Amino acid sequence: MSWIDDPWMGFDTETTGVRALKDRLVTAALVLRIDGASYRSGVSAPDQVATWLTDPGIEIPEQATAVHGITTEQARRDGRPIEEVLHELAGSIVEHWLRGYPVVAFNATYDITLVNQELRRHRLGSFEERLEGAPMLVVDPLVLDRKLDRFRKGKKTLTEMAPVYGAAASPDAHTAEVDVAMTLDVLAGMVDKYPQLASMSALELTDYQRQAHQDWAEDFEKYLRKQGKDANIDREWPQITPRGRGDDQE
């Protein structure tokens, strides 16, 4: 059995901004696809979907609302307490990891780092503390696409990437559960296009992506500096414990 036939847990968040260490969780979605890429055979069980809306405890900027549609008033009225949401969300993710299965996230560093920082902020036990040394198995279609189709023209956003891998680009993108399902579809298309991915274990694939991210970061940093821009791209992937920031409770 390859990791491509393992249960995949897709993960996405919508937040108050784009700073993983500072901004707060607004919505989250987990989509469990029991048969991984095998769902393409048409005999897979339906996706299991869980979603959360929380009150982040701060104002949601208009720029963030324009992306995901959640206002401060809506979050305060309908959102659940952040501690409850984090407990359920992190518990589900960690349980999946402890079973030895991969979590799939597009631009995983952002979402995993943000939720991990929220766990630390509310003193609920970080992913590292909850895993107690067990591996964090992550599959990130963005990292894989940068490595495997490096010179393809166009933006490497989820909606731009979807048709490249035979997935439908949903008009409801930036709704967390829709983005997760689209991400899983993109990954299944990648497995079809690049069969070498199936030859790796989930742990080997995680290590492969870690090196791929480092290679991309070095190349992109050089490119930006040639353009006269000051660039310093972190080499860590997924970056759940930023150096020197582990105790930041802001």
Side-chain angles (χ1 to χ4, degrees), residues 86-104:
L86 288 169
H87 176 72
E88 294 176 10
L89 175 64
S92 294
I93 292 172
V94 170
E95 181 181 1
H96 192 74
W97 275 327
L98 290 175
R99 292 177 183 270
Y101 299 141
V103 169
V104 181

Side-chain angles (χ1 to χ4, degrees), residues 1 4 6 11 55 57 72 80 98-99 101 138 140 143 155 182-183 185 196 223 230 240 250:
M1 291 288 290
I4 68 169
D6 285 342
F11 167 49
D55 177 1
T72 301
R80 293 175 56 197
L98 290 175
R99 292 177 183 270
Y101 299 141
V138 178
D140 187 342
V143 172
K155 297 180 180 179
M182 191 168 21
T183 298
D185 291 344
Q196 66 267 35
Y223 168 78
D230 184 20
I240 63 168
E250 290 186 39

Side-chain angles (χ1 to χ4, degrees), residues 58-190:
I58 63 172
E59 295 280 335
I60 300 175
E62 292 182 2
Q63 301 95 311
T65 297
V67 172
H68 53 61
I70 306 297
T71 64
T72 301
E73 292 73 20
Q74 181 181 355
R76 288 175 177 170
R77 182 184 68 244
D78 302 328
R80 293 175 56 197
I82 184 65
E83 293 85 357
E84 291 182 8
V85 171
L86 288 169
H87 176 72
E88 294 176 10
L89 175 64
S92 294
I93 292 172
V94 170
E95 181 181 1
H96 192 74
W97 275 327
L98 290 175
R99 292 177 183 270
Y101 299 141
V103 169
V104 181
F106 191 90
N107 193 18
T109 289
Y110 175 79
D111 297 281
I112 291 176
T113 300
L114 184 136
V115 172
N116 203 40
Q117 188 71 355
E118 286 275 48
L119 290 169
R120 291 179 177 278
R121 182 178 290 117
H122 295 281
R123 295 178 170 83
L124 295 173
S126 67
F127 283 138
E128 303 96 315
E129 292 167 328
R130 289 166 179 252
L131 283 169
E132 296 183 333
M136 179 183 295
L137 305 173
V138 178
V139 184
D140 187 342
L142 176 59
V143 172
L144 289 174
D145 184 70
R146 284 171 173 165
K147 176 68 174 180
L148 297 170
D149 202 354
R150 177 180 175 186
F151 298 109
R152 188 183 73 250
K153 295 181 179 180
K155 297 180 180 179
K156 290 188 178 291
T157 64
L158 180 58
T159 52
E160 292 285 339
M161 196 179 296
V164 174
Y165 294 103
S170 172
D172 295 320
H174 296 300
T175 301
E177 62 269 30
V178 172
D179 282 357
V180 175
M182 191 168 21
T183 298
L184 296 179
D185 291 344
V186 166
L187 180 59
M190 283 185 171

